Amino acid sequence: MNFKVPRGTQDLLPGVTEKWQKVEEIIRELCHLYRYPEIRTPIFESTELYTRSVGDTTDIVQKEMYTFKDRGDRSLTLRPEGTAGVVRSYVEHKMFGQPDQPIKLSYLGPMFRYERQQAGRYRQFVQFGVEAIGSKDPAIDAEVISLAMNIYSKVGLQDVKLVINSLGDQEVRANHREALVNHFKPHIDEFCQDCQSRLEKNPLRILDCKVDHDHPLMATAPALTDYLNEESANYFDKVKQYLDVLGISYEVDPNLVRGLDYYNHTAFEIMSTSKGFGSITTLCGGGRYNGLVEEIGGPESPGIGFGMSIERLLLALEAEGKELNIEDQLDMYIVAMDEDAKLKAVELASSFRAKGISTELDYTDRKMKAQMKSADRKQATWVIVLGETELAEQQVAVKHMATGDQEKVPFFDLVEYLTKQKQKQMEEK
Ligand code: ATP
Ligand code: MG
């Protein structure tokens, strides 16, 4: 038998997981600063939650969901995105009743979409996202955008651009929709099957089509921004003002529409402009959803959020040739020459680790030379070799691998000696 990871999924092995952990650490730190505590919702939800909230004209609902019946004949779906579950939980736990609004939440975890596998597109991927529910202050739109931008800058990305648009409110969308239908209808047979069915159901999504992207009618399509009413235009202006205050530059793209149906007003994407990046350049997508909470059974509570995958963030880093600053130093390797020494080695390793000194030893009964080689490969800062003499003298030479310096230290003093050395090293850095 010859098993492989399922198509569109990947094993993350040591060497790579450190990068993930580093990115997650940066994200957690920023969530702490911006005050977006973590929420963890189930990986599957009832299917109806997604068909209702994500919108039944989206790619996600039409062709990408992993839907199954459980043994109780309930239809469940592996979450394809994070917002629906978070909003469900917001309503279920009546967070709208809490005194301090908006409720700010963040999530990080696997999402599942049955998609064609290609660079930057997986069937299981990890999304980080935030939601701020219970405010329609344009300043929170800017805050959410700035948090996303900050993540990319903290991990070291430089070739990143923010694209924003306003999708207006319901009135705006209705007028614009009519203009779109008039624009595309005479030539709709030149468009893909999906677009043909979008024309009646949700013509806005034609603008987001990946197949007909270069059709000349796309460039001349009526722009949402030309249809904004006063309220929507003011809102958009305010968001832009706040972005200016935050020193965040942006591009307005009147054809930017988001994949999900529930967005209104602010829509944004953050793209990689790095030459090394493939055809999929969107790192992060987000926007405002003012009707979603009601749709899911709560009171009117306007929200805004974004989702970004860690996979694409790491791809962008690679495209820019940037390395994360990862610290994973092995402090000590203990070489043991015989069984008695091994007993001491195990005891010492435990006392080192208890004091924060990372320690490795041999578990395959190798000769001293092989153990030394191992210490070398693992780039240990220090090595000690325990044998008969060391046990008799109750002391051992601590060898600093980089310099070759050695110092004899009594066993009882080892932990303190190493702790001090480590501190000194950190201060030097
Ligand atoms: P795309 O246009 O790339 O299909 P989308 O509109 O489907 O994106 P969203 O639903 O807005 O994407 O998801 C937000 C973010 O999640 C994307 O910007 C991207 O970072 C990430 N993402 C979406 N689908 C995948 C996937 N299949 N694999 C990896 N990351 C993904
Ligand atoms: Mg998609």
Side-chain angles (χ1 to χ4, degrees), residues 140-426:
I140 193 97
D141 299 34
E143 176 177 284
V144 161
I145 292 172
S146 102
L147 170 52
M149 292 297 279
N150 232 322
I151 289 170
Y152 294 123
S153 97
K154 280 265 153 67
V155 298
L157 284 174
Q158 280 175 326
D159 307 337
V160 161
K161 125 181 136 177
L162 168 67
V163 184
I164 57 172
N165 190 22
S166 170
L167 304 181
D169 55 20
Q170 257 160 9
E171 178 192 273
V172 173
R173 294 275 280 269
N175 292 336
H176 178 246
R177 180 199 160 99
E178 199 182 307
L180 278 177
V181 172
N182 293 338
H183 178 76
F184 286 115
K185 203 167 195 170
H187 298 274
I188 195 65
D189 49 349
E190 295 159 28
F191 285 75
C192 72
Q193 278 299 321
D194 282 345
C195 279
Q196 296 188 15
S197 73
R198 283 170 189 144
L199 184 70
E200 294 306 328
K201 283 197 243 158
N202 191 352
L204 188 64
R205 290 196 37 79
I206 296 178
L207 300 177
D208 201 23
C209 181
K210 282 160 194 129
V211 181
D212 297 314
H213 192 262
D214 296 322
H215 192 288
L217 279 187
M218 289 293 203
T220 56
L224 255 165
T225 28
D226 295 333
Y227 286 77
L228 294 186
N229 52 23
E230 205 187 326
E231 200 198 322
S232 300
N234 283 342
Y235 194 92
F236 196 31
D237 282 342
K238 271 276 157 55
V239 172
K240 288 187 279 192
Q241 271 179 30
Y242 282 118
L243 289 175
D244 292 338
V245 163
L246 290 166
I248 298 173
S249 45
Y250 51 83
E251 209 173 85
V252 175
D253 176 358
N255 279 347
L256 172 74
V257 299
R258 301 280 317 122
L260 314 184
D261 276 353
Y262 51 64
Y263 286 104
N264 43 38
H265 291 292
T266 314
F268 67 95
E269 284 190 357
I270 301 169
M271 338 270 282
S272 168
T273 55
S274 174
K275 288 215 171 56
F277 216 68
S279 58
I280 302 171
T281 55
T282 308
L283 302 177
C284 171
R288 179 159 276 288
Y289 45 86
N290 283 355
L292 182 61
V293 177
E294 275 173 291
E295 181 70 28
I296 293 180
E300 194 195 322
S301 326
I304 176 152
F306 67 72
M308 62 167 69
S309 72
I310 310 301
E311 286 83 353
R312 286 193 199 171
L313 183 157
L314 290 170
L315 280 172
L317 275 174
E318 215 171 283
E320 288 192 26
K322 298 266 160 59
E323 293 284 344
L324 290 158
N325 184 15
I326 290 164
E327 300 240 344
D328 189 27
Q329 185 63 37
L330 169 61
D331 296 320
M332 169 60 81
Y333 193 99
I334 308 177
V335 176
M337 310 270 278
D338 56 35
E339 250 175 76
D340 287 342
K342 181 71 173 284
L343 270 175
K344 190 69 194 171
V346 167
E347 183 198 320
L348 284 176
S350 164
S351 63
F352 293 165
R353 290 166 180 162
K355 290 293 177 199
I357 298 157
S358 62
T359 306
E360 186 75 284
L361 55 157
D362 175 69
Y363 291 106
T364 52
D365 279 333
R366 285 179 297 181
K367 296 260 169 348
M368 173 177 151
K369 218 170 138 196
Q371 293 188 42
M372 287 301 284
K373 267 196 186 146
S374 194
D376 235 9
R377 273 194 302 272
K378 291 171 189 277
Q379 299 180 321
T381 307
W382 297 286
V383 173
I384 55 176
V385 180
L386 298 174
E388 251 174 77
T389 325
E390 284 75 18
L391 291 189
E393 293 178 357
Q394 290 288 297
Q395 62 172 1
V396 63
V398 176
K399 183 173 179 188
H400 189 258
M401 295 292 271
T403 58
D405 293 348
Q406 301 210 25
E407 200 167 337
K408 282 217 165 143
V409 183
F411 285 166
F412 70 83
D413 212 17
L414 267 175
V415 170
E416 205 181 313
Y417 172 83
L418 291 171
T419 311
K420 280 203 182 122
Q421 291 290 315
K422 203 176 160 171
Q423 220 153 25
K424 220 158 79 188
Q425 268 188 347
M426 302 241 262

Side-chain angles (χ1 to χ4, degrees), residues 39 86 89-101 103 105:
I39 181 170
V86 171
S89 180
Y90 171 89
V91 172
E92 187 167 340
H93 297 280
K94 301 194 172 56
M95 294 184 213
F96 45 79
Q98 292 181 17
D100 285 313
Q101 299 289 328
I103 299 292
L105 299 164

Side-chain angles (χ1 to χ4, degrees), residues 58-65 113-115 194 198:
T58 62
D59 283 352
I60 290 183
V61 169
Q62 288 195 331
K63 40 191 179 197
E64 295 174 1
M65 292 203 309
R113 297 185 192 180
Y114 191 80
E115 302 208 64
D194 282 345
R198 283 170 189 144

